[in-house]
Structures are given as C-alpha cells and as structure tokens.
Amino acid sequence: MSGQDIEIESEDGNFSGYLSVPASGSGPGVLVLQEIFGVNPAMRSIADWLAAAGFTALCPDLFWRIEPGIQLSSEDDAGLKRAFELFGLFNHNTGLRDIQTSLATLRQLDACTGKAGAIGYCLGGLLAYRTACHTDSDASVGYYGVSIADRIGEAAGLSRPLILHIAGDDEFVPPEAQNRMHAGLGSNPLVTLYDYPGQHHAFARPDGDHYDAASAGLANQRTLVFLRQHLA
C-alpha cells in the first residue's frame, strides 16, 4: 500500500488528488469525497484504509477552484471557520463535474481494475448521493450527508446502488430531514438506509469529538461488504 499526490486533468484546469494503492498493486476504484476540511490527514487515512482493504482509492481536491491544496483541522476554531466559508463558496455543479472527471481518471489508472465507486463524508456524503444520481459511479456510499432531504427528487437519476449512513442525533440533519429521507428514498430498491441511533455527525471520523468506535466499525464493515459486492 502506498499513497501519493497525483494530478487530475480537466477541461477547466488541473487539480490534485491523493491516490492510495493496495499492496497488490491494483484493485477496484473508490473515489473518496472530502469533508469541508479539504484533502486533510483524515481523508488521506480513509483512502489508505480502503487501499489496505484492496481498493485503489483517489481523494480529489474538490475545493481547488476556490483554494487549491487546502488542508484544515476540525479541531481548531480558525480551521472550522474557514471550512464553513469554503462550504458556502463551493459550487455543486462544477463539483459534480470534477467528480465525474476524477472517476474517469481513476478508471484509467493501471492500478484500477475497472469498476469504480464513491464514498463520501459530510459534504462528501451529500456529494456521494449526488454522484449516485448524476454520474456513472458503479456504487456509492454516503456517511452523514447534509441537505440530502432537500434533493430527494434527484433520486430519479439513480441507476446503481447506494448506501446512506444516517446519524440519529446529527446536529446538521434534524429528525424531520431524516424522516424525509426515509419517506423519499426508503422504498427505492437501489437505496439502503442505515440508521445509527444516538450518534452525532462525524461519528466515523477517528480524530473527531463524536467518534464512536462501535458505530463506525459497523458502518465501515457494511461499506466494505457493499463495495466488494458491487465493484469486484
């Protein structure tokens, strides 16, 4: 397993991504979609975790159009403030375009065996949902995605499987929004919703205040089974 920054070419300019490859040298592709803190150590560690599990993981810098190479900490006030500023400045349409470009780049790598999916957290959890609805991702997973309830109609574009992990006490996704997600997506055969009662936003981020090893372990186990099933 090895990790390195690579360059991703797009029509609008080039941007970076963190690539982590399994010890075997190749595996199914997984795009890692960042939180609001950029391609920081937490996101890189997720890519490395996926590589250790046999996947070729690429985490693209989706904030490159605003401030390339940003790496913020969720643990300091200045980093948190800047992260929310970047979240407000982020353009979801160009972001989706960059995700599709990154998926194509990932599939073309010698280290990718062909199929490629996506996994995302927080902002990336919303983007994983939108990736499932609007791109050719073979399978997608969203952890505590924000604002999904406001975009239920986009699920009309779903053609491949999707998992959404929902934190029961998510301060950014209130119960009413969770109810709308279940009402709008629960009967879709392509969607699996997993609820984690009592868990807060970012319960699967190891360096976060709300990290819960048991719930994170369960969600991650479900994720790996799902990705192996659909990307192998």
Side-chain angles (χ1 to χ4, degrees):
M1 184 184 74
S2 60
Q4 62 176 323
D5 287 326
I6 66 167
E7 191 169 68
I8 300 167
E9 297 181 3
S10 81
E11 294 179 356
D12 301 329
N14 297 353
F15 56 100
S16 68
Y18 176 74
L19 176 69
S20 196
V21 177
S24 64
S26 66
V30 179
L31 213 59
V32 180
L33 305 177
Q34 65 182 62
E35 296 178 301
I36 61 176
F37 306 103
V39 185
N40 64 358
M43 290 296 102
R44 292 167 185 263
S45 71
I46 289 167
D48 292 341
W49 163 66
L50 287 164
F55 299 94
T56 292
L58 176 62
C59 184
D61 178 10
L62 298 178
F63 283 165
W64 73 277
R65 297 172 186 269
I66 310 165
E67 183 177 342
I70 191 86
Q71 293 193 52
L72 299 170
S73 169
S74 62
E75 300 305 302
D76 70 82
D77 291 341
L80 204 57
K81 181 175 182 290
R82 181 58 179 151
F84 277 103
E85 289 173 353
L86 291 165
F87 178 65
L89 293 168
F90 181 70
N91 184 307
H92 283 262
N93 292 328
T94 55
L96 262 184
R97 202 157 73 226
D98 292 337
I99 289 169
Q100 181 62 74
T101 297
S102 299
L103 266 175
T105 298
L106 178 56
R107 286 194 175 102
Q108 290 164 6
L109 295 175
D110 291 339
C112 181
T113 55
K115 287 189 175 182
I119 179 173
Y121 300 77
C122 179
L123 165 63
L126 167 61
L127 293 174
Y129 167 72
R130 300 200 72 214
T131 293
C133 297
H134 299 289
T135 78
D136 61 357
S137 171
D138 290 300
S140 304
V141 180
Y143 283 70
Y144 31 84
V146 296
S147 302
I148 292 173
D150 299 326
R151 296 176 178 270
I152 296 296
E154 296 182 28
L158 278 173
S159 61
R160 295 175 191 183
L162 166 70
I163 279 180
L164 295 176
H165 298 293
I166 302 170
D169 287 350
D170 195 325
E171 57 269 41
F172 301 109
V173 186
E176 187 271 336
Q178 295 180 37
N179 291 339
R180 279 192 285 147
M181 290 171 66
H182 276 279
L185 300 171
S187 62
N188 190 317
L190 292 171
V191 182
T192 303
L193 303 175
Y194 289 118
D195 293 293
Y196 300 83
Q199 294 307 309
H200 294 274
H201 191 76
F203 71 81
R205 186 200 303 143
D207 64 349
D209 291 340
H210 296 307
Y211 178 66
D212 185 87
S215 293
L218 177 59
N220 290 341
Q221 179 186 36
R222 287 166 165 169
T223 292
L224 290 179
V225 169
F226 173 79
L227 292 176
R228 286 175 178 141
Q229 177 185 353
H230 295 290
L231 301 181

PDB file of all heavy atoms in Angstrom, residues 8-9 31 58 97-109 112 114 116 136:
ATOM      1  N   ILE A   8      -4.828  15.553 -11.639  1.00  0.00           N
ATOM      2  CA  ILE A   8      -6.022  15.172 -12.395  1.00  0.00           C
ATOM      3  C   ILE A   8      -6.276  16.255 -13.432  1.00  0.00           C
ATOM      4  O   ILE A   8      -6.368  17.434 -13.094  1.00  0.00           O
ATOM      5  CB  ILE A   8      -7.234  15.037 -11.454  1.00  0.00           C
ATOM      6  CG1 ILE A   8      -6.982  13.961 -10.391  1.00  0.00           C
ATOM      7  CG2 ILE A   8      -8.504  14.710 -12.247  1.00  0.00           C
ATOM      8  CD1 ILE A   8      -7.981  13.967  -9.243  1.00  0.00           C
ATOM      9  N   GLU A   9      -6.352  15.865 -14.690  1.00  0.00           N
ATOM     10  CA  GLU A   9      -6.540  16.829 -15.773  1.00  0.00           C
ATOM     11  C   GLU A   9      -8.023  17.024 -16.057  1.00  0.00           C
ATOM     12  O   GLU A   9      -8.783  16.067 -16.150  1.00  0.00           O
ATOM     13  CB  GLU A   9      -5.836  16.343 -17.041  1.00  0.00           C
ATOM     14  CG  GLU A   9      -4.323  16.213 -16.893  1.00  0.00           C
ATOM     15  CD  GLU A   9      -3.664  15.750 -18.179  1.00  0.00           C
ATOM     16  OE1 GLU A   9      -4.370  15.588 -19.208  1.00  0.00           O
ATOM     17  OE2 GLU A   9      -2.433  15.540 -18.161  1.00  0.00           O
ATOM     18  N   LEU A  31     -13.584   6.445  -5.246  1.00  0.00           N
ATOM     19  CA  LEU A  31     -13.351   7.877  -5.096  1.00  0.00           C
ATOM     20  C   LEU A  31     -13.738   8.273  -3.670  1.00  0.00           C
ATOM     21  O   LEU A  31     -14.829   7.936  -3.220  1.00  0.00           O
ATOM     22  CB  LEU A  31     -14.215   8.632  -6.109  1.00  0.00           C
ATOM     23  CG  LEU A  31     -13.693   9.935  -6.712  1.00  0.00           C
ATOM     24  CD1 LEU A  31     -12.374   9.697  -7.429  1.00  0.00           C
ATOM     25  CD2 LEU A  31     -14.728  10.514  -7.649  1.00  0.00           C
ATOM     26  N   LEU A  58      -8.859   7.172  -4.587  1.00  0.00           N
ATOM     27  CA  LEU A  58      -8.434   8.501  -5.030  1.00  0.00           C
ATOM     28  C   LEU A  58      -9.309   9.546  -4.364  1.00  0.00           C
ATOM     29  O   LEU A  58     -10.529   9.508  -4.479  1.00  0.00           O
ATOM     30  CB  LEU A  58      -8.555   8.613  -6.557  1.00  0.00           C
ATOM     31  CG  LEU A  58      -8.241   9.985  -7.169  1.00  0.00           C
ATOM     32  CD1 LEU A  58      -6.801  10.400  -6.902  1.00  0.00           C
ATOM     33  CD2 LEU A  58      -8.522   9.968  -8.688  1.00  0.00           C
ATOM     34  N   ARG A  97     -18.951  17.972 -11.786  1.00  0.00           N
ATOM     35  CA  ARG A  97     -18.136  17.803 -12.998  1.00  0.00           C
ATOM     36  C   ARG A  97     -16.734  17.302 -12.633  1.00  0.00           C
ATOM     37  O   ARG A  97     -16.188  16.420 -13.302  1.00  0.00           O
ATOM     38  CB  ARG A  97     -18.066  19.127 -13.759  1.00  0.00           C
ATOM     39  CG  ARG A  97     -17.722  18.958 -15.238  1.00  0.00           C
ATOM     40  CD  ARG A  97     -18.184  20.131 -16.066  1.00  0.00           C
ATOM     41  NE  ARG A  97     -17.360  21.317 -15.858  1.00  0.00           N
ATOM     42  CZ  ARG A  97     -17.840  22.539 -15.659  1.00  0.00           C
ATOM     43  NH1 ARG A  97     -19.152  22.726 -15.589  1.00  0.00           N
ATOM     44  NH2 ARG A  97     -17.042  23.573 -15.506  1.00  0.00           N
ATOM     45  N   ASP A  98     -16.190  17.846 -11.570  1.00  0.00           N
ATOM     46  CA  ASP A  98     -14.868  17.412 -11.127  1.00  0.00           C
ATOM     47  C   ASP A  98     -14.897  15.973 -10.618  1.00  0.00           C
ATOM     48  O   ASP A  98     -13.926  15.221 -10.786  1.00  0.00           O
ATOM     49  CB  ASP A  98     -14.349  18.344 -10.024  1.00  0.00           C
ATOM     50  CG  ASP A  98     -14.031  19.740 -10.543  1.00  0.00           C
ATOM     51  OD1 ASP A  98     -13.792  19.884 -11.768  1.00  0.00           O
ATOM     52  OD2 ASP A  98     -14.030  20.692  -9.727  1.00  0.00           O
ATOM     53  N   ILE A  99     -16.004  15.575 -10.015  1.00  0.00           N
ATOM     54  CA  ILE A  99     -16.150  14.193  -9.557  1.00  0.00           C
ATOM     55  C   ILE A  99     -16.200  13.238 -10.744  1.00  0.00           C
ATOM     56  O   ILE A  99     -15.528  12.191 -10.748  1.00  0.00           O
ATOM     57  CB  ILE A  99     -17.402  14.052  -8.673  1.00  0.00           C
ATOM     58  CG1 ILE A  99     -17.168  14.739  -7.319  1.00  0.00           C
ATOM     59  CG2 ILE A  99     -17.772  12.580  -8.470  1.00  0.00           C
ATOM     60  CD1 ILE A  99     -18.420  14.892  -6.474  1.00  0.00           C
ATOM     61  N   GLN A 100     -16.965  13.573 -11.773  1.00  0.00           N
ATOM     62  CA  GLN A 100     -17.023  12.724 -12.962  1.00  0.00           C
ATOM     63  C   GLN A 100     -15.650  12.631 -13.630  1.00  0.00           C
ATOM     64  O   GLN A 100     -15.218  11.549 -14.061  1.00  0.00           O
ATOM     65  CB  GLN A 100     -18.058  13.259 -13.947  1.00  0.00           C
ATOM     66  CG  GLN A 100     -18.209  12.415 -15.217  1.00  0.00           C
ATOM     67  CD  GLN A 100     -18.682  10.993 -14.935  1.00  0.00           C
ATOM     68  OE1 GLN A 100     -19.847  10.764 -14.624  1.00  0.00           O
ATOM     69  NE2 GLN A 100     -17.784  10.025 -15.028  1.00  0.00           N
ATOM     70  N   THR A 101     -14.938  13.757 -13.702  1.00  0.00           N
ATOM     71  CA  THR A 101     -13.578  13.761 -14.254  1.00  0.00           C
ATOM     72  C   THR A 101     -12.659  12.870 -13.423  1.00  0.00           C
ATOM     73  O   THR A 101     -11.858  12.100 -13.972  1.00  0.00           O
ATOM     74  CB  THR A 101     -13.022  15.202 -14.275  1.00  0.00           C
ATOM     75  OG1 THR A 101     -13.825  16.000 -15.138  1.00  0.00           O
ATOM     76  CG2 THR A 101     -11.581  15.232 -14.762  1.00  0.00           C
ATOM     77  N   SER A 102     -12.791  12.956 -12.103  1.00  0.00           N
ATOM     78  CA  SER A 102     -11.952  12.149 -11.214  1.00  0.00           C
ATOM     79  C   SER A 102     -12.265  10.663 -11.346  1.00  0.00           C
ATOM     80  O   SER A 102     -11.363   9.820 -11.314  1.00  0.00           O
ATOM     81  CB  SER A 102     -12.143  12.602  -9.763  1.00  0.00           C
ATOM     82  OG  SER A 102     -11.768  13.952  -9.599  1.00  0.00           O
ATOM     83  N   LEU A 103     -13.553  10.337 -11.507  1.00  0.00           N
ATOM     84  CA  LEU A 103     -13.936   8.940 -11.736  1.00  0.00           C
ATOM     85  C   LEU A 103     -13.309   8.394 -13.009  1.00  0.00           C
ATOM     86  O   LEU A 103     -12.784   7.275 -13.032  1.00  0.00           O
ATOM     87  CB  LEU A 103     -15.465   8.831 -11.832  1.00  0.00           C
ATOM     88  CG  LEU A 103     -16.261   8.496 -10.579  1.00  0.00           C
ATOM     89  CD1 LEU A 103     -17.752   8.560 -10.890  1.00  0.00           C
ATOM     90  CD2 LEU A 103     -15.892   7.118 -10.036  1.00  0.00           C
ATOM     91  N   ALA A 104     -13.355   9.190 -14.070  1.00  0.00           N
ATOM     92  CA  ALA A 104     -12.767   8.771 -15.348  1.00  0.00           C
ATOM     93  C   ALA A 104     -11.262   8.592 -15.207  1.00  0.00           C
ATOM     94  O   ALA A 104     -10.685   7.620 -15.731  1.00  0.00           O
ATOM     95  CB  ALA A 104     -13.090   9.796 -16.429  1.00  0.00           C
ATOM     96  N   THR A 105     -10.616   9.513 -14.499  1.00  0.00           N
ATOM     97  CA  THR A 105      -9.174   9.412 -14.264  1.00  0.00           C
ATOM     98  C   THR A 105      -8.842   8.149 -13.488  1.00  0.00           C
ATOM     99  O   THR A 105      -7.902   7.412 -13.820  1.00  0.00           O
ATOM    100  CB  THR A 105      -8.674  10.649 -13.492  1.00  0.00           C
ATOM    101  OG1 THR A 105      -8.901  11.813 -14.280  1.00  0.00           O
ATOM    102  CG2 THR A 105      -7.194  10.534 -13.161  1.00  0.00           C
ATOM    103  N   LEU A 106      -9.622   7.873 -12.442  1.00  0.00           N
ATOM    104  CA  LEU A 106      -9.404   6.691 -11.620  1.00  0.00           C
ATOM    105  C   LEU A 106      -9.526   5.415 -12.445  1.00  0.00           C
ATOM    106  O   LEU A 106      -8.680   4.515 -12.350  1.00  0.00           O
ATOM    107  CB  LEU A 106     -10.410   6.692 -10.465  1.00  0.00           C
ATOM    108  CG  LEU A 106     -10.410   5.517  -9.488  1.00  0.00           C
ATOM    109  CD1 LEU A 106      -9.042   5.314  -8.857  1.00  0.00           C
ATOM    110  CD2 LEU A 106     -11.471   5.731  -8.413  1.00  0.00           C
ATOM    111  N   ARG A 107     -10.547   5.343 -13.276  1.00  0.00           N
ATOM    112  CA  ARG A 107     -10.757   4.136 -14.083  1.00  0.00           C
ATOM    113  C   ARG A 107      -9.622   3.900 -15.081  1.00  0.00           C
ATOM    114  O   ARG A 107      -9.352   2.756 -15.460  1.00  0.00           O
ATOM    115  CB  ARG A 107     -12.089   4.242 -14.846  1.00  0.00           C
ATOM    116  CG  ARG A 107     -13.316   4.054 -13.975  1.00  0.00           C
ATOM    117  CD  ARG A 107     -14.550   3.823 -14.840  1.00  0.00           C
ATOM    118  NE  ARG A 107     -15.722   3.514 -14.020  1.00  0.00           N
ATOM    119  CZ  ARG A 107     -16.686   4.377 -13.732  1.00  0.00           C
ATOM    120  NH1 ARG A 107     -16.620   5.613 -14.215  1.00  0.00           N
ATOM    121  NH2 ARG A 107     -17.714   4.018 -12.986  1.00  0.00           N
ATOM    122  N   GLN A 108      -8.975   4.973 -15.498  1.00  0.00           N
ATOM    123  CA  GLN A 108      -7.917   4.850 -16.499  1.00  0.00           C
ATOM    124  C   GLN A 108      -6.557   4.468 -15.908  1.00  0.00           C
ATOM    125  O   GLN A 108      -5.628   4.139 -16.642  1.00  0.00           O
ATOM    126  CB  GLN A 108      -7.786   6.172 -17.265  1.00  0.00           C
ATOM    127  CG  GLN A 108      -8.968   6.461 -18.188  1.00  0.00           C
ATOM    128  CD  GLN A 108      -9.033   7.905 -18.637  1.00  0.00           C
ATOM    129  OE1 GLN A 108      -8.132   8.702 -18.358  1.00  0.00           O
ATOM    130  NE2 GLN A 108     -10.114   8.264 -19.324  1.00  0.00           N
ATOM    131  N   LEU A 109      -6.449   4.519 -14.595  1.00  0.00           N
ATOM    132  CA  LEU A 109      -5.177   4.174 -13.958  1.00  0.00           C
ATOM    133  C   LEU A 109      -4.884   2.680 -14.086  1.00  0.00           C
ATOM    134  O   LEU A 109      -5.789   1.846 -13.992  1.00  0.00           O
ATOM    135  CB  LEU A 109      -5.217   4.555 -12.472  1.00  0.00           C
ATOM    136  CG  LEU A 109      -5.329   6.037 -12.124  1.00  0.00           C
ATOM    137  CD1 LEU A 109      -5.486   6.203 -10.608  1.00  0.00           C
ATOM    138  CD2 LEU A 109      -4.106   6.797 -12.615  1.00  0.00           C
ATOM    139  N   CYS A 112      -6.215   0.555 -11.299  1.00  0.00           N
ATOM    140  CA  CYS A 112      -7.657   0.327 -11.169  1.00  0.00           C
ATOM    141  C   CYS A 112      -8.073  -0.816 -12.080  1.00  0.00           C
ATOM    142  O   CYS A 112      -7.776  -0.803 -13.282  1.00  0.00           O
ATOM    143  CB  CYS A 112      -8.432   1.592 -11.513  1.00  0.00           C
ATOM    144  SG  CYS A 112     -10.235   1.405 -11.358  1.00  0.00           S
ATOM    145  N   GLY A 114     -11.018  -1.602 -13.094  1.00  0.00           N
ATOM    146  CA  GLY A 114     -12.147  -1.330 -13.996  1.00  0.00           C
ATOM    147  C   GLY A 114     -13.280  -0.582 -13.361  1.00  0.00           C
ATOM    148  O   GLY A 114     -13.447   0.606 -13.574  1.00  0.00           O
ATOM    149  N   ALA A 116     -15.516   1.445 -10.663  1.00  0.00           N
ATOM    150  CA  ALA A 116     -15.155   2.475  -9.688  1.00  0.00           C
ATOM    151  C   ALA A 116     -16.419   3.041  -9.053  1.00  0.00           C
ATOM    152  O   ALA A 116     -17.408   3.313  -9.740  1.00  0.00           O
ATOM    153  CB  ALA A 116     -14.339   3.590 -10.342  1.00  0.00           C
ATOM    154  N   ASP A 136     -21.651   8.089 -13.536  1.00  0.00           N
ATOM    155  CA  ASP A 136     -21.638   6.652 -13.838  1.00  0.00           C
ATOM    156  C   ASP A 136     -20.921   5.846 -12.750  1.00  0.00           C
ATOM    157  O   ASP A 136     -20.397   4.765 -13.018  1.00  0.00           O
ATOM    158  CB  ASP A 136     -21.019   6.392 -15.210  1.00  0.00           C
ATOM    159  CG  ASP A 136     -19.572   6.858 -15.303  1.00  0.00           C
ATOM    160  OD1 ASP A 136     -19.057   7.442 -14.327  1.00  0.00           O
ATOM    161  OD2 ASP A 136     -18.946   6.633 -16.361  1.00  0.00           O
TER     162      ASP A 136
END
